[in-house]
Amino acid sequence: MSQFYKTYLPSQAGVFQIHQSNDFLDCYACQSDLSLIKAASLAMHVPAWTQSLLQLRNMLVAPLGLKNTQDFAEQPSEASPSLQFPITYHTETELQYGYDDRHLNFRITVLKEEGQIFLSTWVHTHNFFGNAYLTTIMPFHTAIMRAAIRRVAKGE
C-alpha cells in the first residue's frame, strides 16, 4: 500500500488553462500503477458519508439558486462511477470533473504521470458568497480529498 502526500499539481495539467493567480488549488498524490480510469473511479466514488454531505449541501443551497449536484447526474460509467459531477476535460493521462456556477467554478483533476496519481481541486470564486462558501466547506473538502486519495493509494 502506498502512502499519499500533499504536493503541487504538475504544470501540464489541463486546469492551468483556466487557473488564475488568486484561485484555490490543492493537490494530493500517491505512487500507483493503477490505470487513469481505475484511479479516477476510486477517487470519484461517493461513500455514504460523502453522499450525505452532498445531500445536505444541496438542501442548503437550493433556496440560493445555486446548482444542485443532482442537476448534473450522469449515467454512471467507468470514468464517473457514481459522482454527479460531469467530465469537463479528458486526455490519455487526465480526467477532470466539475462545473461553473454563479458563486464559483470548480474542477477536480485526476492526473496520472510517471507512476503517480495526482488528485487536485481548483476553485475560482466570483464573489463574496463564493469566498464564504469555500471557507465554510474547506474542512469537509480536505476530509473528502484525503479519503479519495487514500482509496487510490490502497488501490481499493
Side-chain angles (χ1 to χ4, degrees), residues 4 18 20 24 34 37 55 58-60 69-70 73 78 88 97 112 118 124 133 135 150-151:
F4 70 90
I18 55 177
Q20 297 176 24
F24 171 81
L34 294 174
I37 297 296
Q55 289 171 346
N58 289 341
M59 280 187 345
L60 293 173
T69 58
Q70 294 171 348
E78 191 177 11
T88 59
Y97 306 82
K112 181 175 177 72
F118 295 86
H124 175 79
Y133 178 85
T135 300
R150 192 175 293 117
R151 285 191 301 276

Side-chain angles (χ1 to χ4, degrees), residues 61-83:
V61 302
L64 304 172
L66 299 181
K67 291 181 181 176
N68 186 310
T69 58
Q70 294 171 348
D71 294 341
F72 301 103
E74 294 185 345
Q75 292 298 318
S77 68
E78 191 177 11
S80 188
S82 61
L83 192 66

Side-chain angles (χ1 to χ4, degrees), residues 15 18 23-24 44 54 57 67-69 72 83-88 96-109 120-126 133-134 137 141 145:
V15 76
I18 55 177
D23 293 347
F24 171 81
M44 302 307 286
L54 286 172
R57 177 245 180 239
K67 291 181 181 176
N68 186 310
T69 58
F72 301 103
L83 192 66
Q84 294 93 354
F85 304 132
I87 295 172
T88 59
Q96 192 179 96
Y97 306 82
Y99 60 85
D100 299 341
D101 206 343
R102 294 183 342 196
H103 65 310
L104 57 77
N105 302 343
F106 85 96
R107 300 293 184 275
I108 300 168
T109 297
S120 178
T121 303
W122 164 82
V123 179
H124 175 79
T125 58
H126 297 299
Y133 178 85
L134 182 60
I137 66 150
H141 164 78
M145 290 297 285

